[in-house]
Amino acid sequence: MPHSHLPVLFEALYDGERHVGFGHPEDGAPHTLYRVEDGRVAAAFIATDGSPKALRAALTEGAASVMVPAGDPGLRLLPPLLPGGSGNALLSGFMGTHKKKWGGETAPEDGEFTPPKWFFKGFGDWVKLPGEDLNVPARPVALIEEPEVALVYVNDADGTPHYAGYTFGNDLCDIGLHRQDPGYNPYCKLCDTALAPWLFLGPPPRTVTGRVTIVRDGATAWEGPFDCGDDALYYRVRDMADHLFTFPAVRRPGLVNYVLLGADEASFHDGFRIADGDRIAIDVKSHGIAFENRVRYVSPTPSTTPAAAPSPEAAEATETAASAESAATVATA
């Protein structure tokens, strides 16, 4: 059964001012927005129990409201809880989390927890929204789309993380570079990531299913299913998250964390290769949302890095040669 009935919250800029809305707007339907200050939605998750009723009360009481028609050009959706100072948000995630990569097994309940590999993707303002281009280096080895659940947390003044909810993303990366050498994984992850603006309120989802369609030159070039809910993972979500938040670097006061839970097998494993200009459409059928982004290969700008200083030996040789040349010039003058 689709989970599109689940409570949803979203933030947006409307005519340049920040607003919050509730529910997933249906196509063609107007929506009521409530004026909020930057950071107020994140603060509501800290000040309340995070339930839909408590959040609505905290965010709508005394707030000016406006009815926004569908397709209004003055409306711009935002990534969930993204602060105005978007450097105060981190996007990161876990690798190798699916049962498929562990022979269909689930991590044992007893015994010491061995955490999965983790990666840092970027700051909050690196997040792309549906419809925006996903930029990658000009010469990737082999790109892969990765439909994933993204958990959203906000830290309070003491650095304690408060779970807010979850959304969905496409963690585009260069898996070919990673396979050349796993040590290249930080480079592999330097591709843009898209996040849907809809924040689902409630615990991490057990079941998430959907379909990826990659369109090239107006025609479907590849498509396939995905499953990225908790039931599809080798690791338990609570164990992964609890371990991550033992590190002080992700517990800085006021920090918003977007945490990607890992992806199923995708087009790369089917022999497909994503090209410049391809459009990746992710339809999260279990939750009734879909989003699309175009991939763009971006050429680097010319380097402005100065050449390295010469070694002391080379510098001395150059200086000696210059002195000899100068002496010869004087002698013939």
Side-chain angles (χ1 to χ4, degrees), residues 213-223 272 277-281 292:
T213 303
I214 301 178
V215 175
R216 181 177 298 168
D217 299 327
T220 297
W222 184 88
E223 61 179 335
F272 183 80
D278 284 357
R279 292 185 175 275
I280 303 174
E292 177 181 308

Side-chain angles (χ1 to χ4, degrees), residues 112 117 151 194 206 216 222 232 240 255 271 332:
E112 184 177 354
K117 294 180 176 65
L151 306 184
R206 299 198 65 85
R216 181 177 298 168
W222 184 88
M240 292 191 289
L255 185 69
T332 57

Side-chain angles (χ1 to χ4, degrees), residues 11 17-20 34-42 59:
E11 290 184 83
E17 296 187 317
R18 198 170 185 116
H19 291 75
V20 65
Y34 299 88
R35 178 80 176 91
V36 292
E37 298 298 325
D38 181 22
R40 184 177 173 187
V41 176
L59 295 170

Side-chain angles (χ1 to χ4, degrees), residues 24 28 87 182 227 262:
H24 183 208
D227 183 353

